Amino acid sequence: MHKRIRRALAASTAAALTGGLLTAAASPAAADPAAKNDFNGDGRSDVAVSAGDAYVAGHKGAGQIVVLYGGLTPDRHKTVSQNTSGVPGTAEASDGFGWGSAIGDFNHDGYSDLAVSAPYEDVGSDVDGGTVAIMWGSSSGLSGGTTISDPAPSSHDKWGRALAAGDFDGDGKDDLAIGSTSSTVYVYKAGISKSGTAGGRYTVKAPVQSGGSAGPLNLTAGDVNNDGRHDLIVNGYEATGTSHWNTNYFIPGSATGLRVSSAVKLQGGITSAIGDVNGDTYGDIVIGVSWDGTSGVPGAVKGGRVHVIYGSATGPSSTTASISQDSGAVPDSSEAGDGFGYELSLGDVNSDGYQDLAVSAVGEDTPNGMKDAGAVTILYGSAGGLDTTNNVQFFHQDTPGFPGAAEGGDQLGSDVQLANTDGYGGADMVIGAMGENGNGTIVSMENSLASPTFSAYRASVIDPSEVGVSTTGNPYFGANFGN
């Protein structure tokens, strides 16, 4: 299994289902991702791409993160490791720098900043203590770096394994939520200065397991109840019962920050995203349940599915929907191991005011037998929610016009992001394929501003060697995107 931070498969008390694909990293906020992620203020969304197992100066798995500025061409990038000038720390073997990241304007200067973790960094004698640094946005892009120190290093490991940016108290300044192997989430609020000083700090203890490989596995920020404050979804192993599958808890924001006393248990799953897919002003929660029905995970079906929980003034409502590859006109069909729902991203692709959903199936096989080649489906929002009948789009590497060719293990859809990278019209799409040629790659697909909105003929590829990532070993370029 890949040593990733983004995904954690469900585990029972007896054994893990697949041997620990461990996760972290923030998911998209409720607002259209096209409106954020702009490190240099040019009005185009930038993309942060992990290469968490990359060699750096001969150190295996030291890790890098690649920032592709709006337009997404190899000549407009910044590749960062812990050996980059101004970035705290030193590149060392197995640090995993770049596996986790979150994007927000932490110092409130109008430019997006990038929080990056190295969850396997040894801190003194603390093995895998982990570290988090913020790189600061400016008119010339990202530069420098400031460490966000772990306030309780002896009580947990892997500081920064889960990150999320959001304004949880509604003061107009982005907060940073940081997870580790403890169930306690630290929230740095009211702005963070370049010296690393925050306007305040508090903790919330999420109702998930602590210790070992546990703690929050994914954090997702977004405004579900439309009160002007971001809420937080915490994904982790359920802390009670005998079968500790992954579960999700909704924790609402308030004027004083996140209120764990009002936490609501949601459908289990690994990934989640928040956005208004039906135009009622409330953030809807989309959860990827990518396990097969034979896994024993509650709510899982053959081939995987996505579960939609519609938002309301009081938070998650009782109105839900379930979508699989057997729903409506969704292309292909549900097959064991497809992993439909492995990755999710919400954004307004066709500029109609409804958030649309990109959902990946990294285990999708091709008709000619290429296993785990991967695929991505686009479902468009509407007044009735995500539309499984009209304009559904489906892409794999054998789609006419799509660059490259489908090969076994490419895992197209290892991450996916909808964001306005070209500055025109609605959201464009970026797709990771972390297994491509054993190194990984990303595919950039521009919005065609027509119907159908995406065309494979408008797709281009950026390979790791084009942006200064070593292809020695397996860097897994494209496994995770910053959100």
Side-chain angles (χ1 to χ4, degrees), residues 21-385:
L21 215 52
L22 298 179
T23 98
S27 294
D32 185 352
K36 55 173 289 186
N37 299 12
D38 186 0
F39 301 121
N40 58 3
D42 67 355
R44 297 182 291 182
S45 290
D46 309 316
V47 179
V49 184
S50 71
D53 272 12
Y55 275 73
V56 178
H59 300 295
K60 180 181 179 180
Q64 295 173 306
I65 194 161
V66 178
V67 174
L68 296 164
Y69 293 109
L72 301 198
T73 58
D75 60 339
R76 301 188 72 251
H77 78 276
K78 184 180 182 72
T79 299
V80 180
S81 74
Q82 288 181 293
N83 281 358
T84 300
S85 177
V87 176
T90 302
E92 300 161 316
S94 301
D95 282 350
F97 180 80
W99 271 124
S101 59
I103 299 171
D105 183 3
F106 300 118
N107 61 352
H108 201 54
D109 66 352
Y111 297 99
S112 295
D113 310 307
L114 179 66
V116 186
S117 69
Y120 299 98
E121 167 112 359
D122 295 343
V123 182
S125 60
D126 184 8
V127 177
D128 292 344
T131 188
V132 174
I134 296 177
M135 296 182 60
W136 304 101
S138 70
S139 60
S140 57
L142 289 174
S143 64
T146 301
T147 297
I148 305 300
S149 299
D150 185 346
S154 63
S155 64
H156 53 243
D157 284 324
K158 300 181 179 67
W159 175 247
R161 68 175 304 173
L163 298 170
D167 183 5
F168 303 116
D169 54 12
D171 67 353
K173 299 177 181 179
D174 282 336
D175 309 319
L176 177 63
I178 302 178
S180 64
T181 57
S182 167
S183 61
T184 298
V185 176
Y186 284 80
V187 181
Y188 292 77
K189 67 173 188 173
I192 303 171
S193 72
K194 289 188 177 182
S195 66
T197 302
R201 188 186 75 204
Y202 64 95
T203 63
V204 292
K205 191 172 181 63
V208 297
Q209 280 189 38
S210 284
S213 60
L217 305 172
N218 271 318
L219 298 173
T220 302
D223 189 359
V224 174
N225 56 4
N226 194 25
D227 65 353
R229 305 179 183 103
H230 283 87
D231 313 304
L232 186 70
I233 297 174
V234 178
N235 174 269
Y237 299 138
E238 190 172 356
T240 59
T242 57
S243 295
H244 298 290
W245 302 109
N246 283 61
T247 192
N248 291 291
Y249 286 90
F250 166 84
I251 302 176
S254 74
T256 56
L258 294 169
R259 288 187 289 118
V260 74
S261 61
S262 300
V264 177
K265 185 178 177 181
L266 305 173
Q267 162 71 49
I270 302 173
T271 55
S272 56
I274 301 173
D276 185 6
V277 300
N278 62 356
D280 66 356
T281 74
Y282 300 111
D284 307 307
I285 301 168
V286 184
I287 296 173
V289 190
S290 54
W291 305 290
D292 280 311
T294 56
S295 65
V297 182
V301 299
K302 183 174 72 172
R305 69 177 180 128
V306 294
H307 183 73
V308 184
I309 305 169
Y310 290 96
S312 72
T314 57
S317 74
S318 59
T319 303
T320 64
S322 176
I323 300 170
S324 73
Q325 288 181 293
D326 289 335
S327 299
V330 176
D332 205 68
S333 60
S334 295
E335 301 154 321
D338 280 350
F340 185 78
Y342 184 86
E343 269 298 346
L344 309 169
S345 183
L346 287 165
D348 189 357
V349 174
N350 53 2
S351 302
D352 63 356
Y354 302 106
Q355 295 278 289
D356 309 308
L357 177 69
V359 51
S360 76
V362 292
E364 184 76 44
D365 300 340
T366 65
N368 62 350
M370 295 296 179
K371 293 186 66 63
D372 300 336
V376 174
T377 300
I378 313 299
L379 300 169
Y380 288 86
S382 71

